[in-house]
Amino acid sequence: MEEPLLLMLCSPSGAGKSTLTHHLLGAFDDLMFSVSHTTRSPREGERDGVHYHFVERARFEAMRDEGRFAEHAVVHQNLYGTSTDEIERAKRDGKTGIIFDIDVQGARQIKARLPQAVGIFILPPSMEELERRLRGRGTDADAVIARRLAKARDEIACYPSFDYLVVNDDLDRAKATVSAIVMAERARRRRVAEAAEALLR
Ligand code: ADP
Ligand code: 5GP
């Protein structure tokens, strides 16, 4: 079976990564969401094993020391990581693609380890709009929003390590663009070569 498409979606907080990830999972039922491990506490409505695997720090560190993470990073003072089991789970469940909602440090590590992984960076149309969206979401206190905005500049500076940049200005257009990226990546020669070879036989 063809290796699953490894799709990393990154953005500064508030640029629309969750919204676009949700869209892709609804649009393509053979895509799977990679459930990360984290040491942060669940937010209201978040379920263990669905949004994240919520674990104690000691458990996370033990998994890390056993080499069970494909990547891991410290984000906003908490530990986050993608277990290699998630990639195996996708293969086992016959999924043709996995979406990783990870930060820029994690995306770099995955790309170094699995160069065929595809990185999409979601950009806000402006820093003012990014702040408006963070405030509009209503989930973060003022101090948290200020910290996220300061971090956004450093994250945006990482854009050269990504394959695609999508400006999330008009939401419908951004949804169409990320869908088009999935379809284009699936049409890559190495993914479809077997079909051509079969015709030649
Ligand atoms: P992230 O996952 O990157 O932190 P979200 O997907 O949670 O960001 O989006 C942040 C907020 O901005 C949410 O309230 C979302 O509904 C809103 N949003 C996302 N995309 C757009 C867009 N193109 N135009 C206006 N609002 C948007
Ligand atoms: P949140 O705590 O708001 O869900 O996520 C905070 C940040 O951590 C987001 O940028 C998110 O993409 C990132 N993140 C979530 N899971 C992982 C992971 O497994 N690895 C890495 N490196 N970052 C992650």
Side-chain angles (χ1 to χ4, degrees):
M1 197 183 119
E2 181 61 48
E3 285 291 300
L5 170 65
L6 307 176
L7 200 65
M8 305 182 287
L9 251 74
C10 295
S11 76
S13 181
K17 178 179 48 173
S18 309
T19 306
L20 293 170
T21 298
H22 198 74
H23 162 72
L24 285 178
L25 290 169
F28 299 92
D29 60 9
D30 51 347
L31 285 183
M32 182 193 103
F33 179 67
S34 166
V35 181
S36 295
H37 283 68
T38 183
T39 59
R40 85 153 161 77
S41 315
R43 297 191 188 116
E44 199 166 318
E46 283 184 333
R47 283 192 290 141
D48 187 39
V50 175
H51 299 92
Y52 281 103
H53 298 289
F54 295 99
V55 292
E56 298 292 329
R57 200 177 180 97
R59 168 99 183 109
F60 190 104
E61 287 173 348
M63 286 182 68
R64 183 193 59 199
D65 296 346
E66 289 162 11
R68 291 179 55 193
F69 288 120
E71 63 75 31
H72 58 86
V74 180
V75 187
H76 308 306
Q77 287 137 29
N78 286 299
L79 301 175
Y80 291 81
T82 304
S83 73
T84 50
D85 285 353
E86 280 302 291
I87 301 173
E88 292 310 313
R89 180 166 71 94
K91 290 183 192 164
R92 215 172 39 238
D93 293 354
K95 299 289 181 180
T96 59
I98 315 179
I99 301 188
F100 301 94
D101 172 344
I102 57 180
D103 87 320
V104 290
Q105 309 168 73
R108 271 210 206 101
Q109 293 172 44
I110 293 270
K111 194 78 173 173
R113 194 171 166 149
L114 303 162
Q116 73 277 25
V118 176
I120 305 178
F121 196 78
I122 313 295
L123 291 164
S126 67
M127 296 309 271
E128 291 73 23
E129 174 62 14
L130 182 63
E131 180 167 357
R132 256 194 302 278
R133 287 186 195 168
L134 282 170
R135 293 196 184 286
R137 194 164 62 176
T139 51
D140 301 310
D142 277 1
V144 174
I145 290 178
R147 210 163 55 223
R148 288 184 184 231
L149 284 172
K151 202 174 166 227
R153 287 191 66 82
D154 296 338
E155 290 167 331
I156 292 170
C158 297
Y159 81 86
S161 29
F162 287 82
D163 300 295
Y164 296 95
L165 303 179
V166 176
V167 179
N168 180 16
D169 186 350
D170 177 79
L171 184 55
D172 285 337
R173 197 168 48 222
K175 285 179 177 174
T177 305
V178 290
S179 292
I181 292 170
V182 170
M183 291 194 277
E185 285 296 329
R186 284 182 166 167
R188 284 215 180 259
R189 185 178 60 220
R190 68 180 156 74
R191 293 192 163 272
V192 195
E194 183 49 39
E197 290 296 333
L199 291 170
L200 294 173
R201 280 198 287 272

